[in-house]
Structures are given as C-alpha cells and as structure tokens.
Amino acid sequence: MAKAQNKTVENNDSVADFLKTVKDENKRKDCLAIVDLLSKHTKMKAKMWGTAIVGFGSYHYKYESGREGDAPLVAFSPRASSITIYLSDIKEELIKKLGSHKLSGGCLHIKKLEDIDIVVLLKLIDNSMKYTKTKYPG
C-alpha cells in the first residue's frame, strides 16, 4: 500500500501573487513586511508551501510511526482571523514579552505586527529553527 503524500509541499507558486489575494489591506501589508523581515533575518528565500503557507528553508522529518516528509523551517500564513506563525518549542519567557497574541499548539496568532515586539518575535523564530535543526539534523 502506498504511503499518503503530504498535501503541504514546497512549490514554485508566487509568494507575491498569493499575498495579493489577502483582502485585508493592513494584513496584506503586514504579511509583506513579514516576508521582508524573515528573508533578511533567516537569509532564506520565501517559498510557497501548499496553497496558503509562506515558508523559509526546509527540513526533513521522520516520525517513529514511519511517516516522513519535508516541512518549512519557519512559516506563516494569513488566516481569516489572524496571521499564523508556525513555531516549535515556544519559550514561555519570550512569549511573555511578545505583546498581544494567542497560542494554539505550535501556532502563534497575531492580529497585526504593531501589536508585538519584533525583536522578541525574531528570538522566538531563532529558537524554533535551532530546536528543529537539532531534532531533525541532516
């Protein structure tokens, strides 16, 4: 029996074209700013993953169950109610300093960039990338 393929895979769709579809002008501007910020900070190019996730870099994971695949090292998505930033190993001491946000699992939800401390966000991203690279080396 063939293994199920991941639906969210890196592709060559245009990040700029995707972000043009964000209806809320302020959210669209924040997303463009996040692309610029993360491109400069991570020194990685923004790529589309699936139809709605903007990712930077990638890593290969393999679970004990045998399921494996690739995922973005850092990613975000403009969702209906917030901008969702996907992180791993979120440090409580940093999250307390971030500003207005919500957490659910490995997802950080923000309404707008001006509500948070960008320096703290970048520390959270650095921590997440370090954790992921350590957990899934190679």
Side-chain angles (χ1 to χ4, degrees):
M1 179 154 81
K3 289 185 179 181
Q5 295 294 317
N6 290 338
K7 292 178 185 175
T8 306
V9 296
E10 183 178 331
N11 61 65
N12 291 319
D13 292 349
S14 167
V15 171
D17 287 349
F18 166 64
L19 292 178
K20 286 178 188 174
T21 68
V22 176
K23 292 182 173 116
D24 181 285
E25 183 179 347
N26 292 324
K27 186 182 288 183
R28 184 172 53 252
K29 286 180 182 177
D30 279 353
C31 288
L32 290 168
I34 291 170
V35 167
D36 188 50
L37 179 74
L38 293 183
S39 293
K40 288 177 182 171
H41 185 73
T42 65
K43 297 178 179 41
M44 293 182 248
K45 183 179 178 184
K47 300 281 286 187
M48 287 301 301
W49 285 75
T51 59
I53 294 175
V54 179
F56 300 82
S58 67
Y59 68 96
H60 187 79
Y61 62 85
K62 186 170 184 177
Y63 299 139
E64 288 182 20
S65 66
R67 180 179 172 89
E68 63 182 292
D70 297 304
L73 196 53
V74 177
F76 77 93
S77 183
R79 300 295 186 191
S81 61
S82 66
I83 298 171
T84 301
I85 302 170
Y86 303 98
L87 300 170
S88 56
D89 194 39
I90 298 171
K91 299 289 186 197
E92 190 173 332
E93 66 271 12
L94 289 174
I95 209 73
K96 287 180 182 178
K97 300 174 186 176
L98 182 63
S100 181
H101 70 280
K102 290 184 181 178
L103 287 176
S104 64
C107 298
L108 170 67
H109 305 275
I110 61 171
K111 293 285 186 187
K112 48 192 170 187
L113 274 180
E114 68 184 32
D115 289 346
I116 62 166
D117 184 324
I118 298 299
V119 172
V120 174
L121 176 63
L122 292 177
K123 287 179 182 176
L124 284 162
I125 288 167
D126 287 344
N127 181 72
S128 179
M129 291 191 314
K130 181 179 177 185
Y131 174 84
T132 302
K133 286 177 181 179
T134 300
K135 185 168 180 163
Y136 302 102

